Each structure stands twice: as structure tokens, then as C-alpha cells.
Amino acid sequence: MQGSDATSVELAQPAHGQTRIFYTTQRYPIYYLAITKCGCTYLKNLFHALDHGVPHPDGAFVHETESGLTKARDVPPEVIRASPYAFAVLREPGARFLSFYFDKIYG
């Protein structure tokens, strides 16, 4: 955040070679910044359901076949920054690491 204005949010530039992927819906002007291990599966299924009336047919494997999901590629960053409906889900780093470890490495 910059200054004392709590509503002003500066989007950091992604590292070289990385991109930010915002998802949106065709019906509603909401924007979700996907962050791995922070509710992505649930939210991608929710966004699919908002557009199509049903959860994504691949359910928990929505990340592998993102058909039916709308990426906000053509939405200018200024529009996303100004939207009151743009969000990301963050988790406490320790819990996120343990979830990753037990899901991907140990399990």
C-alpha cells in the first residue's frame, strides 16, 4: 500500500517471465487473482458455476482443463484496480507450506 489511503493498492510487477492471471465471469464484473494453494479449486469452480449454472465438469482437476473459465486478459489493469470486486485469497505462510508439503511432496 502507498501512503495512508487504505483503499489505494499498488499491484507489484510480476517477476521476469511470470504473469498474473485474473479470472472473471462473463456475467459479473468480478476479478479473482489465482494464487496456488489458496482456494483456487473452489473459486474456479464457483466462477464456472456463475457463468454456466453448474460446477466445472472436471471438479478438483479444474486446473488441468480450464475450459469454460474466463481469463481477464483483455481487461485493462486500471479497470481491475478500480473495481470494488477484485480480490485475491491469501493464507498464512506456514499453513500454506504445510499444505503444499503434505499434498505434493509427502502424499
Side-chain angles (χ1 to χ4, degrees):
M1 288 193 178
Q2 276 183 321
S4 61
D5 184 3
T7 61
S8 173
V9 177
E10 183 78 23
L11 292 178
Q13 294 300 315
H16 181 68
Q18 295 180 340
T19 59
R20 272 189 237 110
I21 300 176
F22 279 89
Y23 291 88
T24 188
T25 67
Q26 296 171 11
R27 297 178 64 181
Y28 306 101
I30 54 178
Y31 306 98
Y32 163 59
L33 175 61
I35 299 174
T36 305
K37 303 303 292 175
C38 293
C40 272
T41 302
Y42 175 79
L43 287 165
K44 286 180 180 181
N45 275 294
L46 176 63
F47 273 45
H48 187 277
L50 288 171
D51 273 344
H52 305 284
V54 294
H56 196 277
D58 294 325
F61 300 103
V62 66
H63 311 292
E64 296 172 18
T65 59
E66 294 186 337
S67 63
L69 294 174
T70 305
K71 293 181 181 175
R73 288 187 189 124
D74 298 329
V75 179
E78 302 80 37
V79 171
I80 295 173
R81 273 194 288 274
S83 174
Y85 306 108
F87 68 98
V89 176
L90 303 175
R91 286 177 62 187
E92 191 274 321
R96 183 173 180 224
F97 173 76
L98 288 174
S99 175
F100 162 76
Y101 177 79
F102 286 112
D103 185 42
K104 303 293 182 192
I105 297 177
Y106 184 77

